[in-house]
């Protein structure tokens, strides 16, 4: 059911298709009796644009309100938004780093937003390098708070040789900024220096 919902909601070229997709995902969201179906519907809705934008925003807000501060549910709320297929997802993720329920000192919260964003290939690997710059900046901040998590997040940049020349050089540039930080934790230095070899 959830795979079919995802397929059906990916058909959203026209305003009518956007509206139909939003209605379908909203119906599943409202009827869901378990977290699996609710998250699947929210994931579909989180990528809605155009005619589906209002439904997206309403579902995201309702999920947040229903979470009632539950840490695990809020982690899912952050993660779903970090994987959205929207042209402005990086801006949305940056805004979420300012959300009152987000803190770099909470490893699970950090993973649910920043690490999950780094798995969202299109915005993370945007040709302009903004995704790499964002993650590099977060890693630099995070290294002062939690070096272990910083080194894990930095792992998203160490595969720079696998990408085309432009993206590879942008990723490598972020690694070079990180390795030259003073001070830098042993954990982060090990991962970043190994990634530059």
């Amino acid at each position: 059911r959830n795979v079919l919902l995802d397929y059906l909601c990916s058909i959203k070229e026209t305003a009518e298709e956007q509206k139909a997709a939003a209605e379908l995902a909203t119906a599943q969201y409202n009827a869901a009796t378990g977290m699996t179906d609710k998250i699947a519907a929210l994931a579909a809705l989180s990528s809605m644009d155009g005619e589906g934008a209002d439904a997206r925003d309403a579902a995201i807000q309702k999920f947040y309100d229903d979470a009632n501060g539950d840490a695990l549910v809020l982690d899912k709320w952050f993660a779903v938004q970090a994987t959205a297929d929207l042209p402005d997802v990086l801006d949305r993720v940056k805004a979420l780093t300012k959300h009152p329920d987000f803190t770099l000192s909470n490893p699970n919260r950090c993973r649910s937003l920043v690490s999950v964003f780094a798995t969202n290939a299109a915005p993370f690997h945007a040709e302009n390098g903004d995704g790499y710059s964002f993650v590099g900046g977060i890693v630099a901040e995070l290294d002062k708070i939690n070096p272990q998590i910083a080194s894990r997040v930095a792992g998203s940049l160490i595969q720079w040789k696998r990408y085309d020349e432009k993206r590879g050089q942008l990723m490598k540039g972020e690694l070079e900024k990180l390795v030259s930080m003073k001070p830098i934790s042993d954990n982060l230095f090990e991962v970043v220096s190994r990634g530059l070899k």
Side-chain angles (χ1 to χ4, degrees):
R1 166 179 39 201
N2 294 331
V3 172
L4 289 175
L5 176 69
D6 192 44
Y7 285 147
L8 290 170
C9 289
S10 68
I11 304 169
K12 52 185 181 187
E13 298 300 316
T14 67
E16 295 80 26
E17 290 170 345
Q18 292 167 358
K19 186 175 180 195
E23 288 171 357
L24 185 63
T26 300
Q28 176 167 320
Y29 182 85
N30 291 334
T33 57
M35 186 60 79
T36 301
D37 290 344
K38 191 167 283 241
I39 283 291
L42 185 63
L45 283 161
S46 72
S47 294
M48 299 281 170
D49 217 353
E51 293 295 315
D54 289 342
R56 173 198 66 218
D57 295 341
I60 287 171
Q61 186 60 51
K62 181 166 178 18
F63 191 89
Y64 176 79
D65 293 342
D66 290 349
N68 197 27
D70 183 294
L72 295 175
V73 178
L74 287 174
D75 288 342
K76 291 181 182 298
W77 182 77
F78 280 103
V80 162
Q81 294 179 80
T83 59
D85 181 17
L86 292 170
D88 65 342
V89 70
L90 177 57
D91 293 332
R92 291 171 179 273
V93 169
K94 285 178 179 177
L96 286 169
T97 64
K98 311 268 189 274
H99 192 278
D101 286 312
F102 181 81
T103 176
L104 288 176
S105 62
N106 180 330
N108 290 337
R109 194 60 43 86
C110 185
R111 277 191 289 264
S112 71
L113 185 62
V114 181
S115 295
V116 170
F117 169 76
T119 67
N120 193 347
F124 178 62
H125 294 292
E127 198 170 2
N128 62 11
D130 286 351
Y132 308 142
S133 178
F134 167 71
V135 169
I138 292 288
V139 168
E141 283 181 60
L142 192 53
D143 192 46
K144 299 170 190 143
I145 303 166
N146 190 330
Q148 292 83 13
I149 298 298
S151 62
R152 284 192 201 119
V153 175
S156 62
L157 296 167
I158 64 173
Q159 300 296 324
W160 61 273
K161 293 178 187 173
R162 294 185 179 183
Y163 295 92
D164 62 71
E165 171 104 18
K166 183 176 182 181
R167 286 180 177 89
Q169 289 305 309
L170 290 168
M171 292 171 88
K172 185 179 179 186
E174 290 302 319
L175 291 172
E176 288 169 343
K177 284 183 207 171
L178 291 170
V179 82
S180 66
M181 285 189 334
K182 302 285 186 231
I184 184 173
S185 70
D186 292 341
N187 299 62
L188 183 59
F189 182 78
E190 180 184 345
V191 168
V192 172
S193 59
R194 186 182 47 200
L196 284 168
K197 291 181 181 176

